């Protein structure tokens, strides 16, 4: 590897994606929409399923189940679908597992790369727009069946509030006021959150609400994995406040579930 | 380089270039690197709070440069790009300071010999390890030589006094407060010596010399950052003026 130096007219700026493009490391084969008619949807690839996010009094909370499915088979029992994007934001992903994980990895790098080159973080709005751009560039792959749908949530340091964003496959970006849910079990999960959501939810209240939502989704949808005490596998949960992104310990989630089981 | 058809010996050519680079570097203030118990501290005398001399490269790697800002900043950016590309194509664990120091050295020696002018910069690439004795400090000079320094390093025009001060006062297992004190004293030793030189050369102005107390660096003129040894992930952290003021009292 040599030192990646550029003349001013070819400089990729603070964007890691542009850097990859100038280094010819971006794979555009799937993004070619001319080939979109050739669908790869018949191939059984692992799919990640339900993820949810909602606001609470100090910020936002994100949660995802752990199951990945290929057709009617379970391909993975302990997949992670909720990731930190940077210190004050997170991204949760439903859809085809491979491209989802790749998109998260690139998105994290994009934010980190910008932060290091510019010596400041992007605004939350800027981060949300970046993800929109990622979605748009994935449209070709999505039309071939490799659909990825994220939720982006974070704490806006300037506005001093938690914010969350929904996306569609074309890169459309929609800011949600209360909650968002995507994936195969999202219908059931969002109903639970819709009924139980208040703006003044505490951290405990919000955790219970999203866990209940994922539990009900797993109860009704084969694609969504429920709590698995036998193997000690529970949903991934992250809270984001002004103090940053924090992943909940599995033991805390397990304890919350045992409380929940007394109610159900 | 144009020599208008006259013969210039290679020795003379190299010497001219080296002098040119050294002059450029000597104009800037020094930077210190000190390994301490819980990490590595980098300090610079830098009145600007936005044009940094010290920066983050990767999870456990930091960078500092002295000399011409535009030139070492260009190298910093290239370093971040190199590290991020390497971490993306292999793994985050595969990005190391030694590799980066080597490609900086390659680039600088290439420029020193082949370009119109050498780069007027001196760099340090540091990587914090779990154990203080394994900390890596690579000092890269304008003509591309690399020095593997132990425990501490000083770079910049007046680096000798600074390095002497560090060498005489460094102890292993310092805490952060002592490491900051050591670094600022070393940087102050440099100011004292350069003031002495100035007062010698400017004898027309003897009033300045009456102030004999050693000059102190103001918190606002100090840029400092640490690589924290016991943290995971990205461990680079800038110290704010408030934090520095607390440590310096």
């Amino acid at each position: 590897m040599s030192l990646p130096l550029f003349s001013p007219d070819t400089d990729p700026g603070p964007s890691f994606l542009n850097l990859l493009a100038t280094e010819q490391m971006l794979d555009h084969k799937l993004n070619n929409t001319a080939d979109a008619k050739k669908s790869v949807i018949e191939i059984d690839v692992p799919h990640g399923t339900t993820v949810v996010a909602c606001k609470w009094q100090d910020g936002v909370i994100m949660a995802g189940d752990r199951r990945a499915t290929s057709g009617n088979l379970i391909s993975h029992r302990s997949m992670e679908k909720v990731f930190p994007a940077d210190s004050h934001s997170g991204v949760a992903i439903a859809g085809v597992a491979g491209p989802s994980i790749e998109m998260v990895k690139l998105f994290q790098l994009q934010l980190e790369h910008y932060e290091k080159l510019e010596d400041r973080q992007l605004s939350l709005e800027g981060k949300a727009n970046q993800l929109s751009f990622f979605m748009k560039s994935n449209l070709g792959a999505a039309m071939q069946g490799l659909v990825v749908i994220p939720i982006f949530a974070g704490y806006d340091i300037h506005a001093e509030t938690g914010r969350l964003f929904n996306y569609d496959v074309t890169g459309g970006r929609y800011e949600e006021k209360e909650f968002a849910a995507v994936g195969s079990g999202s219908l059931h999960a969002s109903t639970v959150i819709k009924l139980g959501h208040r703006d003044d939810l505490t951290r405990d209240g919000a955790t219970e609400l999203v866990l209940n939502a994922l539990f009900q989704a797993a109860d009704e949808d084969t694609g969504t994995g429920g709590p698995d005490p036998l193997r000690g596998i529970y949903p991934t949960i992250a809270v984001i406040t002004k103090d940053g992104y924090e992943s909940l310990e599995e033991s805390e989630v397990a304890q919350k579930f045992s409380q929940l089981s007394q109610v159900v | 380089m144009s020599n208008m058809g006259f013969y210039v010996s290679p020795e003379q050519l190299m010497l001219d270039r080296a002098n040119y680079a050294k002059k450029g570097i000597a104009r800037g203030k020094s930077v210190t690197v000190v390994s301490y118990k819980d990490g590595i501290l980098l300090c610079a005398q830098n009145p600007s709070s936005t044009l940094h001399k010290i920066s983050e490269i990767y999870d456990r790697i930091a960078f500092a440069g002295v000399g011409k800002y535009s030139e070492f900043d260009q190298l910093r950016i290239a370093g971040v790009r190199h590290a991020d590309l390497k971490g993306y194509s292999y793994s985050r664990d595969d990005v190391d300071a030694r590799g980066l120091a080597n490609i900086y050295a390659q680039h600088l020696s290439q420029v020193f010999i082949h370009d119109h002018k050498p780069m007027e910069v001196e760099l340090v690439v540091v990587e914090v390890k779990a154990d203080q004795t394994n900390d890596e400090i690579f000092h890269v000079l304008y003509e591309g030589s690399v020095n593997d320094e132990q425990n501490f390093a000083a770079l910049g025009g007046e680096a000798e006094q600074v390095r002497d001060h560090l060498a005489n006062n460094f102890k292993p297992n310092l805490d952060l407060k002592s490491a900051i004190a050591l670094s600022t004293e070393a940087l102050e030793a440099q100011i004292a010596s350069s003031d002495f030189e100035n007062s010698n050369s400017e004898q027309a102005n003897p009033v300045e010399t009456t102030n004999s107390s050693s000059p102190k660096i103001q918190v606002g003129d100090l840029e400092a950052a640490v690589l924290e040894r016991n943290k995971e992930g990205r461990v680079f952290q800038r110290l704010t003026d408030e934090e520095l003021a607390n440590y310096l009292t």
Side-chain angles (χ1 to χ4, degrees):
Chain A
M1 264 181 160
S2 64
L3 204 56
L5 285 163
F6 302 92
S7 61
D9 54 326
T10 55
D11 194 285
S15 163
F16 188 69
L17 278 188
N18 290 351
L19 177 63
L20 283 179
T22 57
E23 298 281 301
Q24 272 112 44
M25 285 169 72
L26 257 195
D27 187 8
H28 279 293
K29 272 173 270 164
L30 280 172
N31 297 347
N32 188 349
T33 36
D35 287 342
K37 275 172 265 157
K38 285 186 232 149
S39 174
V40 292
I41 207 158
E42 305 92 49
I43 308 170
D44 270 348
V45 285
H47 280 66
T49 44
T50 315
V51 291
V52 298
C54 76
K55 287 194 198 173
W56 57 287
Q57 62 181 14
D58 291 343
V60 285
I61 186 166
M62 313 181 83
D65 76 313
R66 304 290 291 274
R67 179 172 291 177
T69 55
S70 295
N72 61 338
L73 294 178
I74 294 172
S75 53
H76 204 61
R77 289 177 209 284
S78 57
M79 184 186 162
E80 299 267 347
K81 300 169 194 175
V82 180
F83 304 89
D86 66 358
S87 64
H88 282 80
S89 65
V91 58
I93 292 251
V96 181
S100 303
I101 291 164
E102 177 66 13
M103 186 183 284
V104 170
K105 190 179 159 188
L106 267 176
F107 183 54
Q108 290 169 328
L109 260 172
Q110 176 85 339
L111 300 187
E112 181 189 333
H113 193 71
Y114 182 96
E115 190 184 331
K116 288 194 290 198
L117 287 198
E118 298 289 303
D119 203 46
R120 52 177 293 193
Q121 283 194 358
L122 274 170
S123 64
L124 196 74
E125 190 93 18
K127 295 175 204 170
N129 282 338
Q130 277 292 310
L131 192 53
S132 188
F133 175 79
F134 275 61
M135 289 299 291
K136 223 182 317 182
S137 61
N138 193 55
L139 181 60
M143 287 170 77
Q144 295 174 62
L146 303 178
V147 177
V148 174
I149 302 281
I151 298 174
F152 176 68
Y155 189 84
D156 189 330
I157 294 173
H158 303 296
E160 296 182 344
T161 176
R163 293 170 71 183
L164 53 99
F165 300 87
N166 235 333
Y167 294 84
D168 68 29
V169 74
T170 63
R173 194 206 79 182
Y174 313 95
E175 180 160 9
E176 301 291 343
K177 283 206 167 62
E178 294 174 331
F179 65 90
V182 294
S184 60
S186 61
L187 185 64
H188 303 283
S190 61
T191 308
V192 175
I193 297 188
K194 196 173 178 177
L195 293 175
H197 187 264
R198 300 185 319 273
D199 284 336
D200 61 348
L201 277 175
T202 60
R203 181 185 150 123
D204 277 344
T207 313
E208 279 158 26
L209 182 62
V210 291
L211 280 180
N212 194 11
L214 286 178
F215 177 80
Q216 300 300 345
D219 222 19
E220 302 296 330
D221 168 44
T222 52
T224 308
D228 189 345
L230 209 60
R231 296 186 184 83
I233 298 169
Y234 296 94
T236 332
I237 299 186
V239 291
I240 308 166
T241 62
K242 68 176 189 328
D243 300 324
Y245 181 100
E246 182 202 349
S247 225
L248 261 62
E249 293 290 331
E250 209 148 42
S251 56
E252 189 181 343
V253 183
Q255 192 204 347
K256 282 267 158 21
F257 253 119
S258 65
Q259 291 166 4
L260 187 73
S261 63
Q262 287 158 15
V263 185
V264 175
Chain B
M1 196 180 256
S2 153
N3 54 23
M4 296 190 294
F6 295 109
Y7 175 74
V8 179
S9 74
E11 288 88 350
Q12 187 60 44
L13 192 65
M14 291 300 128
L15 196 65
D16 287 351
R17 291 187 163 219
N19 283 337
Y20 177 84
K22 275 186 204 158
K23 241 185 240 170
I25 295 163
R27 268 180 234 123
K29 302 282 189 218
S30 299
V31 171
T32 61
V33 180
V34 172
S35 162
Y36 67 101
K37 186 168 67 139
D38 299 320
I40 299 179
L41 169 73
L42 299 101
C43 278
Q45 196 189 351
N46 183 1
S48 169
S49 59
T50 45
L51 302 179
H52 295 298
K53 292 184 175 176
I54 302 167
S55 307
E56 172 184 16
I57 295 281
Y58 211 62
D59 288 353
R60 301 179 80 80
I61 303 174
F63 168 99
V66 295
K68 203 168 180 183
Y69 175 79
S70 62
E71 291 185 349
F72 70 71
D73 197 57
Q74 184 197 357
L75 292 175
R76 171 190 74 89
I77 288 172
V80 171
R81 285 178 176 156
H82 167 80
D84 280 352
L85 281 172
K86 196 172 178 188
Y88 174 71
S89 31
Y90 303 114
S91 129
R92 293 193 81 94
D93 296 338
D94 296 318
V95 181
D96 61 341
R98 190 188 50 84
L100 186 60
N102 280 337
I103 65 161
Y104 277 142
Q106 269 177 28
H107 178 74
L108 285 169
S109 72
Q110 180 82 7
V111 170
F112 184 76
I113 294 171
H114 297 289
D115 274 17
H116 296 297
K117 74 167 205 63
M119 291 184 103
E120 299 155 68
V121 295
E122 215 177 302
L123 315 171
V124 68
V125 182
V126 301
E127 179 170 356
V128 69
K129 299 286 190 177
D131 187 348
Q132 188 178 359
T133 53
N134 296 333
D135 281 349
E136 290 178 354
I137 304 171
F138 296 103
H139 187 168
V140 188
L141 299 181
Y142 57 88
E143 76 330 354
S145 58
V146 188
N147 298 326
D148 179 3
E149 313 253 9
Q150 301 297 317
N151 299 322
F152 56 82
L155 52 161
E158 312 274 343
E160 265 162 53
Q161 287 95 345
V162 183
R163 192 174 300 117
D164 286 346
H165 188 95
L166 292 176
N168 293 333
N169 296 288
F170 176 84
K171 290 180 208 72
N173 277 318
L174 288 175
D175 60 10
L176 181 55
K177 190 180 163 70
S178 321
I180 292 174
L182 174 62
S183 304
T184 45
E185 281 160 18
L187 291 171
E188 281 160 3
Q190 162 206 314
I191 311 176
S193 76
S194 62
D195 280 1
F196 179 68
E197 278 168 24
N198 287 343
S199 59
N200 269 1
S201 58
E202 293 166 24
Q203 282 168 350
N205 192 6
V207 192
E208 295 275 332
T209 52
T210 53
N211 184 4
S212 60
S213 68
S214 74
K216 291 276 177 207
I217 293 183
Q218 300 301 309
V219 165
D221 287 345
L222 197 61
E223 178 189 348
V226 290
L227 289 168
E228 293 178 83
R229 194 182 304 287
N230 303 316
K231 267 176 63 180
E232 295 283 308
R234 291 167 63 189
V235 303
F236 180 87
Q237 189 77 48
R238 289 193 189 285
L239 299 178
T240 61
D241 283 357
E242 247 175 28
E243 287 170 315
L244 278 173
N246 277 337
Y247 282 119
L248 282 170
T249 49

